[in-house]
Amino acid sequence: MTRVLIADDQALLRGSFRVLVDSAPGLEVVGEASDGVEAVAVARREKPDVVLMDVRMPSMDGIEATRLICASSEVRVLMLTTFDLDEYVYAALRAGASGFLLKDTRPADLLAAIEIVASGDALLAPSVTRRLVSEFARLPTGPVTQLEGVTAREQEVLALIARGLSNDEIAARLHLGIATVKTHIGRLLHKLAARDRAQLVIAAYESGLVRPTAPG
């Protein structure tokens, strides 16, 4: 059973999400929070598998709450917002979130996203990846940072992850078996102390291994 915490300052939305999640096989809501401070407290007490986290909340916003939750536990956070803005994508993933969805996402897609994040993978839809790349393109370009202990082949895999390729696409591009690709990704997660694929994307860009192309 995947245990879910819902954090949103709107009671009506929390109630709607609770009904949706509790109606899905294999999912259960273990708590609710109306602001970031409460979200951190409930997450520490209930230790859910996934937190559905609103970005804009009183007392403490969802990004800071995510940073605190992810810094002290293995809880995974799926950000939800009505604001489709670049700055939230980068800040949320940098804080440790494993995914980012708009609140107008279809119910079936939201439930699927919870399962994806709970399984340890990251939810990076193409549109989110494009916004993340655009955000990195605005940052100053510096020298490549040493990726400690990462082999040349692992760097190739990491670069393709950062470009948004799936495991199957990486396997085809590098002429590797899918099991070998998964092994490389597992080693990258360990060597870079990354929680999931989203953190690998950030590591690839912040190290300078991948250079984004500025929009326009």
Side-chain angles (χ1 to χ4, degrees):
M1 187 69 74
T2 298
R3 306 170 76 252
V4 180
L5 165 63
I6 300 169
D8 196 293
D9 62 338
Q10 297 183 47
L12 181 59
L13 279 177
R14 290 200 309 274
S16 298
F17 285 141
R18 175 181 278 275
V19 171
L20 175 64
V21 173
D22 278 338
S23 68
L27 301 179
E28 67 171 342
V29 176
V30 296
E32 296 183 19
S34 60
D35 59 42
V37 173
E38 188 177 8
V40 173
V42 177
R44 288 174 175 169
R45 183 178 71 244
E46 299 294 338
K47 297 179 174 58
D49 299 300
V50 177
V51 180
L52 292 182
M53 182 79 76
D54 187 22
V55 170
R56 287 188 171 181
M57 293 186 293
S59 302
M60 177 189 293
D61 65 28
I63 293 172
E64 180 60 22
T66 295
R67 184 176 293 108
L68 292 174
I69 290 170
C70 292
S72 60
S73 71
E74 293 301 313
V75 176
R76 298 187 180 275
V77 176
L78 179 58
M79 304 296 298
L80 292 171
T81 183
T82 54
F83 301 94
D84 187 9
L85 300 177
D86 296 347
E87 64 200 72
Y88 291 140
V89 177
Y90 176 72
L93 296 177
R94 195 70 186 82
S98 295
F100 189 99
L101 286 177
L102 296 180
K103 288 182 180 178
D104 62 1
T105 298
R106 295 186 309 163
D109 291 339
L110 174 58
L111 295 176
I114 293 172
E115 296 286 11
I116 289 170
V117 169
S119 72
D121 206 346
L123 186 75
L124 285 179
S127 60
V128 171
T129 302
R130 284 194 297 271
R131 294 200 300 275
L132 186 60
V133 171
S134 295
E135 181 66 23
F136 278 115
R138 299 188 185 99
L139 301 177
T141 299
V144 175
T145 302
Q146 179 67 34
L147 292 168
E148 189 67 35
V150 178
T151 67
R153 176 61 89 183
E154 288 165 355
Q155 289 189 31
E156 289 181 303
V157 172
L158 180 59
L160 294 177
I161 290 173
R163 294 300 189 192
L165 272 66
S166 67
N167 288 358
D168 288 339
E169 291 168 334
I170 293 171
R173 181 74 63 87
L174 299 180
H175 306 291
L176 299 173
I178 190 68
T180 301
V181 171
K182 290 180 178 179
T183 297
H184 284 313
I185 293 173
R187 289 173 178 165
L188 284 166
L189 290 169
H190 175 71
K191 291 179 179 180
L192 299 177
R195 293 170 62 88
D196 50 38
R197 206 180 189 93
Q199 303 306 300
L200 290 180
V201 172
I202 289 174
Y205 283 104
E206 291 193 335
S207 70
L209 176 66
V210 177
R211 303 290 190 184
T213 302

